[in-house]
Amino acid sequence: LLGTQQPGASGLRRVATQFIAAIGDPSFKSGGGADAWGIWRVDPGPRGVPLRDWPQLAAAGGRARTGWQFDPYDFWVEEYGRIMPNPDFPLPAGRYAVTGDREITTVLTVRSSGEWELADGTLHDVTHLPCRAARYAPVAKGASPGSAHLADFPVAPGGPMPAISGCTHKDYAVIFVIAIEDK
């Protein structure tokens, strides 16, 4: 973990796994735009609603059984076709121990300007490839998760998220956070 250092030794404290939704060039080790990144403090997948259950979520006024509120103008879907709660935006400035649960665990530094930097590796190296997430925004009247094609799910690891008719979408990388800066 972090080479031979433990998170506490570097001013970071362990946390239950959190999840960053990041967008950017996977080959970069630093850049801008982290002010457009979000964070789920709790795993959003298990709290998600399968696309096939969209009619029940809509009938419940968008309130999921797990308590989160669906936003019809800005919604998220993950690789298995579950509608998820939105992450918190923006990702707060600070230092995070991050991993893609593969070879690299490193420190991500996020500045209030939106600039970000990894101590080691690239955005691809810290992306958990099996996890996929996309942010959808309806642009056509009546567009919703109900417009999705269920056969498009699940998405292959590392593959693009499918379009949903009547919506724009952006694919986000999912990065595991295992420790955060003590402030």
Side-chain angles (χ1 to χ4, degrees), residues 36-57:
W37 295 5
I39 189 164
W40 288 282
R41 302 288 181 179
V42 176
D43 189 349
R47 297 183 300 141
V49 175
L51 285 167
R52 70 177 177 276
D53 294 340
W54 164 247
Q56 290 89 343
L57 181 61

Side-chain angles (χ1 to χ4, degrees), residues 101-115:
D101 200 27
R102 292 180 290 136
E103 297 175 13
I104 292 182
T105 298
T106 191
V107 174
L108 167 66
T109 302
V110 176
R111 294 177 184 79
S112 58
S113 64
E115 298 295 312

Side-chain angles (χ1 to χ4, degrees), residues 27-97:
S27 68
F28 286 15
K29 75 171 279 142
S30 63
D35 49 343
W37 295 5
I39 189 164
W40 288 282
R41 302 288 181 179
V42 176
D43 189 349
R47 297 183 300 141
V49 175
L51 285 167
R52 70 177 177 276
D53 294 340
W54 164 247
Q56 290 89 343
L57 181 61
R63 175 70 59 192
R65 288 184 181 164
T66 55
W68 59 272
Q69 182 65 44
F70 172 78
D71 181 345
Y73 304 105
D74 178 21
F75 64 89
W76 290 73
V77 178
E78 53 92 80
E79 72 275 11
Y80 289 104
R82 287 185 290 238
I83 306 159
M84 301 186 298
N86 293 7
D88 296 329
F89 281 96
L91 174 66
R95 292 173 47 240
Y96 303 83

